[in-house]
Amino acid sequence: MWGFGNTLHGCLPRGLGNESFLDLMRRLFGKTEKKTKPCSATVREELCHLRRQANRQRWTCWESDTAGVEVEVAMMSGRSWRFIIGNGAKGGEVKERLAELSGIHSTELSLLCGGVQLQDHEVLLATYAEALNKPPPQLQLLRIFRPSAISCSTDCTLKIWDLEKATCVNTLRGHGDGVMSLTVDWKSRYAVSGSHDCTLRVWDLDHGICVQAIQVAEHPAFCLEFDHSARRILTGSWDNNLKLWDSELGVCVGTLNGHSGMVKAVRLHWPNHKAISGSCDGTLKLWNTERSTCTQTFEHGEEVWAVDVDWISSTALSGSMDASICYWNLKSGACLGTLVGHTDAVSCLALRWSEGQALSASWDKTVRLWGLPNAVCLAVLQNGHAVTTMSVDWVHRTALAGSPEAMRLWNFETQICEQVLDGHLDVERKDSATSPTTPVSVGHDEAVSFLVMNSSESFFFGLM
């Protein structure tokens, strides 16, 4: 025994100080605690914060610049701002100042002086001195809404689309298996995707890079929701559970148990710590995410494949495999009505309770517009292929419907298909009746599994 002790002592590292033998054994053979690091999104936001500080110092210098000029920038909506621009101020720097003042992203801003669009590299007082010394407002600000969408596919990629040109502008790669869920926070320009590879990935859309990869073990996210400001991701999976994740630290912070079937749809309202889920067990469940408890259960009957909620009115829609759609009062638990018309499973729903309308999409190859007060179908859009995913812009009355064959952009007011974006590379278009008027861009190699379109809702207050 003594000989074994001497041999072991000879194998031990020197310079251990006052560390006990027991502590040493724990250090040598115990599990090392993994330190949690903030994700790249946090680092980027810190850099942006430093940039904003540098901008504010520049703006302070402008205020004390004796050669500077006070200008007024106005929008047709009535909003306006006054400030001094320095002698060397460039167009891009003035746009950054306006982005700070207005809360609008600088990429959505366009500055005009005397009807001429200012370029980012131009020194304003050198190029437009005469116009800037005229009575205010000397500058006009336009906010440009660029309709775009993000789709994910079984080919393991995400693609960003320009819907006006029907072209793919960027492809995001990183997942090792098919991507089946996607959500976007357009204000922050971050997206989250879930894949069969059992990871969640957080994407910086401005730079087209993955800033965080979260391992989810046996909980691949079939559906998810994301609140960037709260750093929370809600996922539903085949394990019948919902999980809440910290998107910065990449860890699970809560599990919501209660469903007895696969969770197919989730909606999250983080400010009030509420969520709703639809499951193959035929129920919807309303959750308190702060306590991880189910507060109410709604019996739809057959498998629930789609859910949407208007949190202000406490109203929800549920769509089922049996082609039925129910709408619910979340406070009383009462079913307010049933929408009948689809002939196959309802895969997608979008609710607009303030206008008393809803959109639904189905495997029966149609998209339907509903009037909720009377539970009547107002329009039927013949998509040509089973619709598996859909995103809606209620302001412009457009819906982007995705299927394994293609994505179609519909104006559901005129019932016209405005664009077609191919899903498969090898699919030949046979439905000439819905041909787009602009060129079609080939996109994913395989079926589109989910898509999100940027709604103009969040941009509406600043439109000209």
Side-chain angles (χ1 to χ4, degrees):
M1 181 63 72
W2 285 106
F4 172 74
N6 290 332
T7 303
L8 181 61
H9 180 74
C11 295
L12 297 177
R14 301 292 187 252
L16 299 176
N18 297 325
E19 189 175 25
S20 68
F21 179 78
L22 183 58
D23 290 334
L24 175 63
M25 291 298 101
R26 286 172 175 164
R27 184 164 66 84
L28 289 176
F29 301 106
K31 292 184 178 180
T32 304
E33 291 187 7
K34 184 179 179 181
K35 295 182 178 179
T36 305
K37 297 181 179 179
C39 71
S40 302
T42 304
V43 177
R44 286 185 172 275
E45 287 176 7
E46 289 175 354
L47 291 174
C48 289
H49 178 66
L50 292 175
R51 182 175 179 177
R52 285 194 294 269
Q53 286 183 324
N55 282 340
R56 291 189 183 105
Q57 291 177 354
R58 178 189 297 118
W59 302 333
T60 301
C61 292
W62 288 357
E63 297 294 331
S64 59
D65 189 349
T66 57
V69 173
E70 184 180 39
V71 297
E72 180 178 335
V73 185
M75 299 182 75
M76 288 182 63
S77 61
R79 303 176 72 191
S80 64
W81 302 268
R82 280 178 175 266
F83 53 86
I84 294 175
I85 60 173
N87 189 41
K90 295 182 179 180
E93 295 171 342
V94 175
K95 282 172 62 176
E96 288 184 350
R97 179 75 191 272
L98 289 166
E100 179 82 6
L101 293 171
S102 64
I104 304 172
H105 199 279
S106 60
T107 58
E108 299 164 15
L109 301 180
S110 178
L111 272 176
L112 302 177
C113 183
V116 179
Q117 184 175 10
L118 275 61
Q119 303 301 312
D120 289 350
H121 65 275
E122 292 179 310
V123 178
L124 300 193
L125 291 181
T127 311
Y128 303 95
E130 183 179 350
L132 292 175
N133 282 286
K134 289 183 177 180
Q138 298 93 333
L139 298 174
Q140 292 75 43
L141 180 64
L142 298 177
R143 187 171 191 183
I144 303 171
F145 175 70
R146 296 181 176 87
S148 59
I150 303 177
S151 60
C152 60
S153 168
T154 53
D155 66 4
C156 310
T157 68
L158 290 81
K159 288 184 179 290
I160 303 176
W161 302 85
D162 182 326
L163 294 181
E164 283 186 342
K165 299 177 181 178
T167 56
C168 174
V169 296
N170 199 2
T171 299
L172 309 181
R173 306 180 188 277
H175 281 295
D177 206 336
V179 189
M180 54 189 171
S181 57
L182 173 67
T183 186
V184 184
D185 186 318
W186 290 103
K187 184 177 180 180
S188 67
R189 284 178 158 71
Y190 281 93
V192 179
S193 57
S195 167
H196 285 290
D197 64 9
C198 294
T199 67
L200 297 171
R201 287 185 176 268
V202 182
W203 303 89
D204 179 337
L205 300 182
D206 283 338
H207 300 88
I209 60 173
C210 175
V211 295
Q212 177 74 304
I214 303 172
Q215 300 295 327
V216 297
E218 301 300 320
H219 183 85
F222 185 86
C223 53
L224 58 85
E225 283 276 272
F226 174 47
D227 190 306
H228 176 71
S229 61
R231 304 291 194 272
R232 289 294 182 266
I233 304 169
L234 181 67
T235 58
S237 185
W238 289 292
D239 61 4
N240 306 344
N241 295 327
L242 290 84
K243 288 183 179 290
L244 201 60
W245 306 84
D246 186 310
S247 63
E248 179 180 352
L249 302 179
V251 296
C252 179
V253 294
T255 300
L256 285 65
N257 299 303
H259 282 298
S260 59
M262 174 183 172
V263 180
K264 298 266 300 190
V266 293
R267 290 291 185 269
L268 174 66
H269 190 261
W270 185 253
N272 289 335
H273 300 285
K274 289 183 179 181
I276 195 167
S277 58
S279 167
C280 289
D281 63 11
T283 69
L284 284 82
K285 287 185 179 291
L286 187 63
W287 304 87
N288 182 313
T289 56
E290 190 173 31
R291 300 176 182 176
S292 296
T293 56
C294 175
T295 59
Q296 199 159 1
T297 299
F298 307 85
E299 297 287 344
H300 187 114
E302 291 295 329
E303 295 184 7
V304 177
W305 284 19
V307 173
D308 201 15
V309 186
D310 183 279
W311 294 106
I312 296 176
S313 64
S314 295
T315 308
L317 280 178
S318 60
S320 173
M321 182 185 69
D322 67 0
S324 66
I325 302 171
C326 295
Y327 56 105
W328 308 84
N329 184 309
L330 298 183
K331 292 181 179 179
S332 66
C335 179
L336 302 177
T338 303
L339 309 178
V340 179
H342 284 297
T343 58
D344 207 335
V346 177
S347 55
C348 316
L349 291 169
L351 174 62
R352 183 74 162 184
W353 188 256
S354 60
E355 296 181 12
Q357 292 187 342
L359 273 175
S360 62
S362 168
W363 282 23
D364 65 8
K365 305 180 183 180
T366 68
V367 175
R368 289 176 179 263
L369 177 66
W370 302 90
L372 295 181
N374 301 316
V376 296
C377 181
L378 304 176
V380 180
L381 311 179
Q382 298 293 338
N383 194 64
H385 300 283
V387 184
T388 55
T389 178
M390 179 179 69
S391 184
V392 179
D393 178 356
W394 287 99
V395 173
H396 287 115
R397 310 293 285 178
T398 56
L400 185 60
S403 66
E405 291 75 20
M407 294 182 291
R408 284 175 169 78
L409 182 65
W410 290 93
N411 183 312
F412 55 85
E413 200 71 42
T414 62
Q415 302 182 38
I416 294 175
C417 177
E418 297 179 342
Q419 297 284 11
V420 178
L421 299 92
D422 278 353
H424 288 294
L425 280 176
D426 56 353
V427 171
E428 294 183 3
R429 185 165 298 104
K430 300 177 181 179
D431 50 343
S432 58
T434 58
S435 297
T437 57
T438 57
V440 173
S441 169
V442 172
H444 291 286
D445 293 336
E446 299 177 18
V448 172
S449 51
F450 205 89
L451 59 88
V452 183
M453 180 171 57
N454 66 329
S455 170
S456 58
E457 189 93 340
S458 58
F459 302 94
F460 189 66
F461 74 93
L463 290 177
M464 299 301 291

